[in-house]
Amino acid sequence: MTEYEVLYIVSPKMEETAREELIARFEKVVTAAGGTAEVNKWGMRKLAYKIDFMSEGYYVLMNYSGPSDLPAEIERQMRITDAVMRFVTTKKVSNKLTRAEDERRAKAAEKAAANAKAREEAAAAAAAEAAAKAEQVEEAIETVAEEPKAE
């Protein structure tokens, strides 16, 4: 399924219950087509320019995934709904640059993990070597202490 997002502006003249029903209606269009939707209500915001003599609108961002004909159906329903002032639909695309960057980061993380493991192994080997030298010194001290002194 392809991922899309639609940002639409609902008329501020609409009552809150009617607005919620409208938002739920667009969400049901997605779920009825077998997709999934996530609605993010931005609330009342000032418009960049007046639309139908109104300077504010209720913004809603809906991220959804579904079949390729789904955006056309949502846009059709938004066009025939008088309460929707404006809308824009975009298709989310994972571009090659993002994938290449992800691969580069994964390789860097693997290299850092390998370097960390090598440092740990070197530290463990150095600790073992130091312990062995300390043991040799202790044995030498014991043998010197056990030897009788010549007078």
Side-chain angles (χ1 to χ4, degrees), residues 12 23 80 104:
I23 294 168
I80 62 174
R104 186 190 64 76

Side-chain angles (χ1 to χ4, degrees), residues 9-62:
I9 305 170
V10 179
S11 173
K13 294 179 180 178
M14 244 184 138
E15 293 182 18
E16 187 174 342
T17 56
R19 183 173 49 234
E20 294 298 323
E21 289 174 7
L22 179 71
I23 294 168
R25 189 178 91 199
F26 291 135
E27 191 174 0
K28 285 178 188 174
V29 170
V30 174
T31 55
T36 59
E38 176 187 333
V39 177
N40 187 357
K41 299 170 188 166
W42 290 3
M44 288 296 228
R45 296 192 179 222
K46 188 171 173 77
L47 300 173
Y49 55 90
K50 289 187 177 186
I51 301 172
D52 296 330
F53 304 104
M54 290 181 266
S55 59
E56 286 188 330
Y58 191 87
Y59 282 68
V60 179
L61 175 70
M62 182 169 67

Side-chain angles (χ1 to χ4, degrees), residues 2-6 62-64 66-68 71 89-92:
T2 310
E3 293 184 1
Y4 303 93
E5 72 178 13
V6 61
M62 182 169 67
N63 293 304
Y64 64 96
S68 60
T89 303
T90 57
K91 179 180 178 182
K92 291 185 177 182

Side-chain angles (χ1 to χ4, degrees), residues 20 52 56 66 68 76 80 85 111-112 126 137 140 143 146 149:
E20 294 298 323
D52 296 330
E56 286 188 330
S68 60
R76 184 189 71 78
I80 62 174
M85 298 165 60
K111 187 176 180 181
V137 169
T143 50
E146 289 178 2
K149 293 184 181 180

Side-chain angles (χ1 to χ4, degrees), residues 75-136:
E75 288 180 358
R76 184 189 71 78
Q77 290 197 17
M78 286 185 179
R79 277 190 196 95
I80 62 174
T81 304
D82 292 334
V84 177
M85 298 165 60
R86 293 286 191 274
F87 64 89
V88 62
T89 303
T90 57
K91 179 180 178 182
K92 291 185 177 182
V93 182
S94 100
N95 60 25
K96 292 179 183 177
L97 183 60
T98 304
R99 286 192 301 253
E101 182 67 19
D102 290 343
E103 289 173 6
R104 186 190 64 76
R105 286 183 183 155
K107 286 180 183 178
E110 288 174 10
K111 187 176 180 181
N115 288 341
K117 186 176 180 181
R119 282 193 301 270
E120 288 176 8
E121 290 173 356
E129 186 178 325
K133 283 185 180 181
E135 192 175 304
Q136 288 175 353

